[in-house]
Amino acid sequence: MQKPKKSYAWILLLLGGTCLSVALVMSLVVKTNPILKQEPEEDVQPQFQAEKISATPDIGVLTGQVKPLQQTTRVVASGIHDAEFRGTKFLQANSKSYTIQVLSFSKEDVLKAFLKDRKDRQNFMYFRLSDEDQPERYVLTYGIYRNEQSAEFNLQHLNLKLPASIHPEPQAFKSYLKYVNDLGSEEMGTNTIYEVRLKKASLPRPQPQPIVSSPAPEPAPTPQLSNDDAAAVMN
């Protein structure tokens, strides 16, 4: 009766050893097979951030595509100027000559009002002076002279009819060059002043038109009957 019990114990021991062996074999297979290994998840965000940071210094920079702004480019001052307005081109052409500086204005409209009633306005010219450290000014000058002595001589003999508090003085055109960066009216086609005088004109009187009567209609011609037709009518 004791033999079956011993056989049953040996069977259980054999099954336990077999299960343990299978478990050990499976663990070894998992460790040696790279496919069955669980790879850790990659952190994509740090790589993306590093990529954005590396591109940040070049944002807004178009190297070799957009040329820097030329500081010598002239501009057109806003507003409508009178024919006496001059710019950089005029000053460069007369850089060796002199003029008589008459007045300086803070507003162009005041200068225009001064020139409006002047009969000798064709001898005046004005410039817009702009500087970073000073407010914008409009300088009115008179005449073009070969040198300073000539400008001084003409100043003594001119009668500009200015208030006693205003003292015009000779000035070289080249002294304005670094403050002027405009197109003059002569370059923009606005240097011609037109004067239109209107005169009264008599209107022509309307002439009576003759009444033309329509001709009377001509009478219709009487039809001519042949001999046969006349004989037929008589019968």
Side-chain angles (χ1 to χ4, degrees):
M1 296 296 296
Q2 293 180 354
K3 290 184 180 180
K5 291 181 179 181
K6 292 181 179 180
S7 300
Y8 184 73
W10 281 105
I11 292 172
L12 292 177
L13 182 62
L14 182 62
L15 289 175
T18 303
C19 293
L20 180 61
S21 300
V22 172
L24 292 174
V25 172
M26 291 297 295
S27 63
L28 292 175
V29 171
V30 171
K31 290 181 179 181
T32 55
N33 193 349
I35 299 176
L36 300 179
K37 291 183 179 180
Q38 184 177 2
E39 297 291 339
E41 296 182 359
E42 295 183 0
D43 190 0
V44 182
Q45 186 65 20
Q47 296 180 1
F48 179 72
Q49 293 291 339
E51 189 172 331
K52 289 172 61 178
I53 294 173
S54 63
T56 302
D58 295 333
I59 293 178
V61 179
L62 300 177
T63 307
Q65 297 183 15
V66 179
K67 296 182 179 180
L69 179 65
Q70 298 292 334
Q71 300 298 328
T72 57
T73 303
R74 292 183 293 161
V75 298
V76 179
S78 60
I80 300 175
H81 307 291
D82 282 355
E84 293 79 14
F85 183 76
R86 296 293 180 267
T88 307
K89 182 178 180 180
F90 176 86
L91 292 175
Q92 291 174 345
N94 296 277
S95 59
K96 297 181 180 180
S97 302
Y98 279 75
T99 186
I100 298 175
Q101 181 172 316
V102 181
L103 289 170
S104 178
F105 300 87
S106 59
K107 295 183 179 180
E108 188 177 4
D109 293 338
V110 180
L111 187 150
K112 290 179 179 180
F114 175 81
L115 289 176
K116 183 178 180 181
D117 299 328
R118 300 286 305 196
K119 296 181 180 180
D120 57 345
R121 63 178 297 171
Q122 69 275 6
N123 297 322
F124 286 92
M125 64 208 74
Y126 70 96
F127 311 95
R128 184 178 71 100
L129 307 185
S130 57
D131 190 11
E132 295 180 356
D133 302 329
Q134 296 181 1
E136 186 176 274
R137 302 289 296 178
Y138 290 87
V139 175
L140 180 66
T141 65
Y142 184 94
I144 303 175
Y145 305 98
R146 181 176 300 178
N147 48 45
E148 185 177 2
Q149 292 75 17
S150 177
E152 183 67 34
F153 177 81
N154 283 272
L155 177 60
Q156 299 300 327
H157 295 81
L158 282 176
N159 183 14
L160 297 177
K161 298 179 181 180
L162 300 174
S165 59
I166 299 176
H167 303 284
E169 59 181 2
Q171 191 72 31
F173 280 117
K174 63 181 179 181
S175 63
Y176 302 128
L177 265 173
K178 62 180 179 180
Y179 303 111
V180 176
N181 190 29
D182 295 315
L183 293 173
S185 294
E186 78 280 7
E187 299 179 74
M188 296 185 290
T190 58
N191 60 331
T192 303
I193 302 176
Y194 296 96
E195 182 180 2
V196 179
R197 295 183 180 181
L198 300 179
K199 297 181 179 180
K200 295 182 179 179
S202 57
L203 297 176
R205 296 181 179 179
Q207 299 294 330
Q209 298 294 331
I211 300 175
V212 179
S213 58
S214 57
E218 296 181 358
T222 304
Q224 299 293 331
L225 298 178
S226 60
N227 295 330
D228 297 337
D229 293 335
V233 171
M234 295 297 296
N235 294 331

mmCIF file of all heavy atoms in Angstrom, residues 15-29:
data_model
loop_
_atom_site.group_PDB
_atom_site.id
_atom_site.type_symbol
_atom_site.label_atom_id
_atom_site.label_comp_id
_atom_site.label_asym_id
_atom_site.label_seq_id
_atom_site.Cartn_x
_atom_site.Cartn_y
_atom_site.Cartn_z
ATOM 1 N N LEU A 15 7.476 16.786 -11.999
ATOM 2 C CA LEU A 15 6.743 17.872 -12.664
ATOM 3 C C LEU A 15 7.250 19.238 -12.199
ATOM 4 O O LEU A 15 7.387 20.188 -12.982
ATOM 5 C CB LEU A 15 5.242 17.743 -12.383
ATOM 6 C CG LEU A 15 4.527 16.576 -13.093
ATOM 7 C CD1 LEU A 15 3.086 16.489 -12.629
ATOM 8 C CD2 LEU A 15 4.599 16.740 -14.605
ATOM 9 N N GLY A 16 7.533 19.360 -10.920
ATOM 10 C CA GLY A 16 8.059 20.644 -10.407
ATOM 11 C C GLY A 16 9.418 20.962 -10.995
ATOM 12 O O GLY A 16 9.716 22.112 -11.374
ATOM 13 N N GLY A 17 10.257 19.939 -11.107
ATOM 14 C CA GLY A 17 11.578 20.180 -11.709
ATOM 15 C C GLY A 17 11.460 20.557 -13.177
ATOM 16 O O GLY A 17 12.217 21.407 -13.678
ATOM 17 N N THR A 18 10.503 19.903 -13.854
ATOM 18 C CA THR A 18 10.312 20.223 -15.280
ATOM 19 C C THR A 18 9.853 21.668 -15.466
ATOM 20 O O THR A 18 10.317 22.398 -16.345
ATOM 21 C CB THR A 18 9.284 19.270 -15.894
ATOM 22 O OG1 THR A 18 9.728 17.914 -15.704
ATOM 23 C CG2 THR A 18 9.103 19.550 -17.380
ATOM 24 N N CYS A 19 8.893 22.107 -14.622
ATOM 25 C CA CYS A 19 8.397 23.498 -14.714
ATOM 26 C C CYS A 19 9.507 24.497 -14.422
ATOM 27 O O CYS A 19 9.628 25.551 -15.074
ATOM 28 C CB CYS A 19 7.238 23.689 -13.744
ATOM 29 S SG CYS A 19 5.765 22.753 -14.188
ATOM 30 N N LEU A 20 10.327 24.160 -13.447
ATOM 31 C CA LEU A 20 11.422 25.068 -13.117
ATOM 32 C C LEU A 20 12.426 25.167 -14.269
ATOM 33 O O LEU A 20 12.936 26.245 -14.602
ATOM 34 C CB LEU A 20 12.114 24.585 -11.842
ATOM 35 C CG LEU A 20 13.288 25.419 -11.331
ATOM 36 C CD1 LEU A 20 12.817 26.837 -11.001
ATOM 37 C CD2 LEU A 20 13.913 24.766 -10.083
ATOM 38 N N SER A 21 12.692 24.012 -14.888
ATOM 39 C CA SER A 21 13.625 24.009 -16.026
ATOM 40 C C SER A 21 13.075 24.837 -17.186
ATOM 41 O O SER A 21 13.794 25.608 -17.848
ATOM 42 C CB SER A 21 13.879 22.566 -16.471
ATOM 43 O OG SER A 21 14.451 21.822 -15.412
ATOM 44 N N VAL A 22 11.756 24.678 -17.445
ATOM 45 C CA VAL A 22 11.136 25.454 -18.535
ATOM 46 C C VAL A 22 11.214 26.942 -18.252
ATOM 47 O O VAL A 22 11.481 27.772 -19.141
ATOM 48 C CB VAL A 22 9.684 24.999 -18.746
ATOM 49 C CG1 VAL A 22 8.981 25.927 -19.735
ATOM 50 C CG2 VAL A 22 9.640 23.564 -19.256
ATOM 51 N N ALA A 23 10.995 27.314 -17.003
ATOM 52 C CA ALA A 23 11.053 28.741 -16.641
ATOM 53 C C ALA A 23 12.448 29.307 -16.832
ATOM 54 O O ALA A 23 12.633 30.422 -17.320
ATOM 55 C CB ALA A 23 10.582 28.924 -15.195
ATOM 56 N N LEU A 24 13.438 28.532 -16.440
ATOM 57 C CA LEU A 24 14.825 28.992 -16.619
ATOM 58 C C LEU A 24 15.179 29.134 -18.086
ATOM 59 O O LEU A 24 15.847 30.095 -18.502
ATOM 60 C CB LEU A 24 15.782 28.004 -15.928
ATOM 61 C CG LEU A 24 15.716 27.964 -14.389
ATOM 62 C CD1 LEU A 24 16.619 26.835 -13.836
ATOM 63 C CD2 LEU A 24 16.153 29.305 -13.818
ATOM 64 N N VAL A 25 14.734 28.166 -18.884
ATOM 65 C CA VAL A 25 15.013 28.233 -20.323
ATOM 66 C C VAL A 25 14.356 29.459 -20.953
ATOM 67 O O VAL A 25 14.950 30.169 -21.775
ATOM 68 C CB VAL A 25 14.546 26.938 -21.011
ATOM 69 C CG1 VAL A 25 14.640 27.074 -22.535
ATOM 70 C CG2 VAL A 25 15.386 25.764 -20.537
ATOM 71 N N MET A 26 13.115 29.768 -20.582
ATOM 72 C CA MET A 26 12.407 30.919 -21.140
ATOM 73 C C MET A 26 13.070 32.242 -20.754
ATOM 74 O O MET A 26 13.166 33.182 -21.559
ATOM 75 C CB MET A 26 10.942 30.913 -20.661
ATOM 76 C CG MET A 26 10.097 29.789 -21.251
ATOM 77 S SD MET A 26 9.943 29.904 -23.052
ATOM 78 C CE MET A 26 9.031 31.429 -23.172
ATOM 79 N N SER A 27 13.539 32.301 -19.524
ATOM 80 C CA SER A 27 14.217 33.522 -19.098
ATOM 81 C C SER A 27 15.503 33.742 -19.870
ATOM 82 O O SER A 27 15.856 34.876 -20.236
ATOM 83 C CB SER A 27 14.485 33.475 -17.592
ATOM 84 O OG SER A 27 15.378 32.396 -17.286
ATOM 85 N N LEU A 28 16.212 32.667 -20.142
ATOM 86 C CA LEU A 28 17.432 32.796 -20.931
ATOM 87 C C LEU A 28 17.147 33.219 -22.361
ATOM 88 O O LEU A 28 17.878 34.012 -22.960
ATOM 89 C CB LEU A 28 18.195 31.456 -20.906
ATOM 90 C CG LEU A 28 18.792 31.049 -19.553
ATOM 91 C CD1 LEU A 28 19.422 29.647 -19.642
ATOM 92 C CD2 LEU A 28 19.840 32.068 -19.105
ATOM 93 N N VAL A 29 16.061 32.697 -22.929
ATOM 94 C CA VAL A 29 15.689 33.044 -24.308
ATOM 95 C C VAL A 29 15.329 34.526 -24.420
ATOM 96 O O VAL A 29 15.692 35.231 -25.357
ATOM 97 C CB VAL A 29 14.526 32.154 -24.797
ATOM 98 C CG1 VAL A 29 13.993 32.655 -26.136
ATOM 99 C CG2 VAL A 29 14.984 30.713 -24.911
#
